[in-house]
Structure formats: C-alpha cells, structure tokens
Amino acid sequence: MLSSPPLSLYIHLPWCVAKCPYCDFNSHALKGELPEERYVDALLADLEVDLPRVWGRPVVSVFLGGGTPSLFSGVAIDRLLAGVRARLQLAPNAEITMEANPGTVEHDRFEAYRAAGVNRISLGVQTFDSDKLKILGRIHSGAEAEKAIEAVKAAGFERFNLDLMWALPEQSVEQAVDDVERALGFGPRHLSHYQLTLEPNTVFAKHPPPLPDEDSMIAMQEACAERLDRAGLHAYEISAWAEPGQESIHNLNYWRFGDYLGIGAGAHAKLTLPAEERIIRTRRKSHPRPYLKALEDGSFVAEEKSISESELAFEYFLNRFRLDEPVPLAEFEDRTGLHSGALADRMGRALELGLVEATDPAFERSTVLQRTERGQRYLNDLQALFL
C-alpha cells in the first residue's frame, strides 16, 4: 500500500545571461529586462494549482534552481519565499537552497538572500581555471569565483555547496586535482563533482571539444576522489560529496524516491496520491512566454500522467542505487505500492553478478540491499536489470 513520502518543493527560474555550450537544461538567455515581478506572480499562482494534493504535508526542503536564480533581486526572492510560506507548511529548519553563479551576483545580494530565508547556497564554480571557463562559456573568471565564495561565507552561510566539473576540454589530471584543492581551501562541507558529458542538442554535441581520453578520465576521477576522501568528505551519491550530516536534504529526498512539487517554466513534479492509489508526474509549460501567459487562466501544467507499475520499479531503483546507503525493501514497497517478491528474479540476478549484497536472499519486505563497489562501477548495468 502506498504511503506519502517526504515532500520537497522545486522552483525553476529559467533565465541566464548566456546559454553555456554544454547545457541541456531548460534555460534561456535573457534578452531585455528580467520580468521578475510578473514571474513571481506566476510562480505563486502556479503553486496553488497543486495545493489541494499536498495540503497539510510538511515541506522538508525548497530548491531554487535554473537557469541562474541569482539574476533575481533579494526583494523578489523575499516575496517569493514569503508567498511559499503563506501557502505551504515548511518543516522546522527546512533546507532552502538557492543556486547562484559567480559573475551574476552583486556580493551584497547574498545578505539579502539570507534575510529572505535562504539558508544554503549552491555556487556554480565549475572550475577555477579562467581559460577553461571561457571554453565552457562561463561569464566569470577564476578570481571572481573565489570572490563569490568569500562573499557567500561573509554573508553568514554556514551551509554552501560548490559545483565543480571534471574531464574538461584538454584538462590534465593535475589540473582537475588543482580545482579540488582550491575548492577545499574554502572549507565547503558539500561539494558536487560532475563529469562533463556531451548532451544531445547542445553546442558541444554539434561541435565536440577535445576531451581527455578514457584513461585520463579514470585517473582524474580516482585522484580527485582520493583527495576528497582525505578532506573528510564522502561520496554519498555518484556526484555529491559531503561531511557526515551535511548531505543535501533536497538531493536525498529526490534520490530516495520522495515527492516534490515543481513550479516554474519547465519544472517537473512527482506526487504520491495514496487515496487514488497512484503516483503522478507533471510538467509545466517549458518556455517562459507561454508560462507567463498562463497567469491569465492558470493553465501552467503542460502534461500530467500516472506512473505505470512497469515503470515504478525501474524509476525507484534508478534513483535509489545512486546513493551509497542501504536500500530497505520495506521502503520500496511503501513508496511504489509494489510487492518486492515480484522482483526477486531481478534482485537475485544483481546478487549473482556481485552488484548488490542482501541481508536475506529470499527478498522479503524485511530485506535490506546494499550496492557493492562493483555495483557502483557498473551502475548502469545494475539499474538496467530493473527495466
């Protein structure tokens, strides 16, 4: 039987100064004046669409992503978060994260964001190498990235994340490790460490830059992981490192197949409806223009569908096995409404291949699975077993 998991809120702010050549997110280069007041109006009206489905459920985390949310003023973010609090029950000490990019933030804005209720910043550094930043299409330099980190700390943010990318065009192992070293010098308690991949429908996909070879990429990954381990950060997720207790609540809820409302242009949501015995996904209108026009009639939702039983197991394990933690089959049953026994053959195959360990090979509700080191190395193969 389905039960309601923890609930988060994702808010999409879609504008950027310029579209990066590797980016496949729903982001749009800003042309003209930022319509921040009208967009906040639309976000709050959009939020009311799904309120009846989540009424009374506490929200454990809020994430303002983009795009570049730091293009919005402190006044706009304050009005937005005040509107969210007026409509939703935020849990005590709810994590409220905002993405920001060096080069788009006047440094005193961090104080304004903190006063508005943001208690965690995720800063898109990517690399401290100014030449590499130019290749990536970023508008900041390495020095500006360092100034932005100092500004985040000076504003009083004890919790902040630094985004780094590796396997950059013509990057050496030493350069990748140097980025990690420079990031660690600022004492982050959370660090995202992503491999640059060439996504379809991006400039880099059409005009691929010279990337490091596979051996170099493996060496980079291992060298950077060793350095992060020595710094006391652990890889709790494939691309996320944190001190114990400093993991992102929002990220954890996503990977544990929790629920999340999604508002803003192109935002996705996943909601469990126990009374209707189904789980739904929704998607908002993608482009800012039709999304803002929907303010006239409330037609923000572009698509809504129930997740079929055949998709549920795959979606659950696709997310869950990204985390380096035990997977209770009781949680699987509660969050999908499926019986774990129906997947015994697939779990048995994963056990036989050494991709997981299990407390009980009978795979009863009380069984706990654990992804092995081999399972992490061959994560795609492990996830594919549940297709």
Side-chain angles (χ1 to χ4, degrees), residues 88-146:
L88 289 171
Q89 176 188 338
L90 265 61
N93 302 316
E95 177 187 272
I96 303 177
T97 302
M98 179 178 175
E99 289 185 334
N101 285 336
T104 63
V105 182
E106 299 167 11
H107 289 170
D108 59 354
R109 276 195 184 180
F110 286 119
E111 283 86 352
Y113 296 147
R114 188 163 180 266
V118 176
N119 54 32
R120 184 174 180 270
I121 291 289
S122 182
L123 196 63
V125 172
Q126 315 312 352
T127 175
F128 292 95
D129 185 322
S130 294
D131 292 334
K132 295 282 190 289
L133 285 166
K134 289 178 183 177
I135 295 170
L136 293 175
R138 307 296 288 183
I139 63 170
H140 66 274
S141 66
E144 286 173 322
E146 293 179 339

Side-chain angles (χ1 to χ4, degrees), residues 4 37 98 104 157 170 184 198-199 226 234 263-264 279 301 353:
S4 295
E37 186 171 345
M98 179 178 175
T104 63
F157 285 97
E170 299 183 331
L184 290 174
L198 305 187
E199 301 293 348
E226 189 275 334
H234 71 287
I263 60 172
I279 300 173
V301 179
L353 291 171

Side-chain angles (χ1 to χ4, degrees), residues 124-352:
V125 172
Q126 315 312 352
T127 175
F128 292 95
D129 185 322
S130 294
D131 292 334
K132 295 282 190 289
L133 285 166
K134 289 178 183 177
I135 295 170
L136 293 175
R138 307 296 288 183
I139 63 170
H140 66 274
S141 66
E144 286 173 322
E146 293 179 339
K147 288 179 183 177
I149 300 170
E150 292 290 6
V152 168
K153 296 176 70 174
F157 285 97
E158 294 183 4
R159 300 190 70 211
F160 63 92
N161 168 65
L162 301 181
D163 267 350
L164 288 183
M165 298 178 74
W166 57 280
L168 303 180
E170 299 183 331
Q171 187 177 42
S172 68
V173 175
E174 292 74 21
Q175 288 173 325
V177 174
D178 182 63
D179 272 341
V180 170
E181 289 280 5
R182 291 174 72 173
L184 290 174
F186 293 97
R189 305 174 81 178
H190 190 288
L191 194 145
S192 299
H193 197 234
Y194 299 99
Q195 179 183 348
L196 173 63
T197 54
L198 305 187
E199 301 293 348
N201 303 315
T202 62
V203 172
F204 273 2
K206 295 176 184 175
H207 307 285
L211 298 181
D213 60 40
E214 187 173 354
D215 288 343
S216 296
M217 287 193 284
I218 292 172
M220 277 181 210
Q221 185 176 27
E222 292 177 348
C224 291
E226 189 275 334
R227 183 63 189 92
L228 289 165
D229 277 330
R230 280 196 286 117
L233 278 65
H234 71 287
Y236 72 95
E237 191 268 332
I238 293 297
S239 300
W241 298 71
E243 292 180 1
Q246 293 301 315
E247 299 86 354
S248 165
I249 294 170
H250 191 86
N251 289 352
L252 284 175
N253 190 43
Y254 181 83
W255 299 122
R256 289 171 178 163
F257 210 57
D259 278 357
Y260 50 95
L261 286 165
I263 60 172
H268 291 249
K270 176 238 166 193
L271 295 174
T272 303
L273 307 175
E276 301 176 26
E277 297 184 351
R278 66 189 183 117
I279 300 173
I280 64 167
R281 288 200 181 278
T282 64
R283 178 179 59 81
R284 267 42 183 180
K285 290 179 176 176
S286 295
H287 197 280
R289 280 198 299 272
Y291 180 81
L292 285 168
K293 186 172 177 54
L295 188 56
E296 299 170 7
D297 58 7
S299 60
F300 298 101
V301 179
E303 182 181 15
E304 175 177 317
K305 66 175 184 177
S306 296
I307 307 177
S308 68
E309 284 194 8
S310 62
E311 295 173 304
L312 274 173
F314 175 64
E315 290 207 13
Y316 175 86
F317 287 111
L318 177 70
N319 290 288
R320 204 59 176 79
F321 280 136
R322 290 184 65 95
L323 292 174
D324 183 27
E325 66 179 22
V327 182
L329 292 189
E331 180 193 87
F332 165 75
E333 293 188 352
D334 292 342
R335 298 198 177 180
T336 64
L338 303 176
H339 191 276
S340 56
L343 297 173
D345 57 337
R346 304 182 199 186
M347 294 184 212
R349 182 61 177 155
L351 189 64
E352 180 182 309

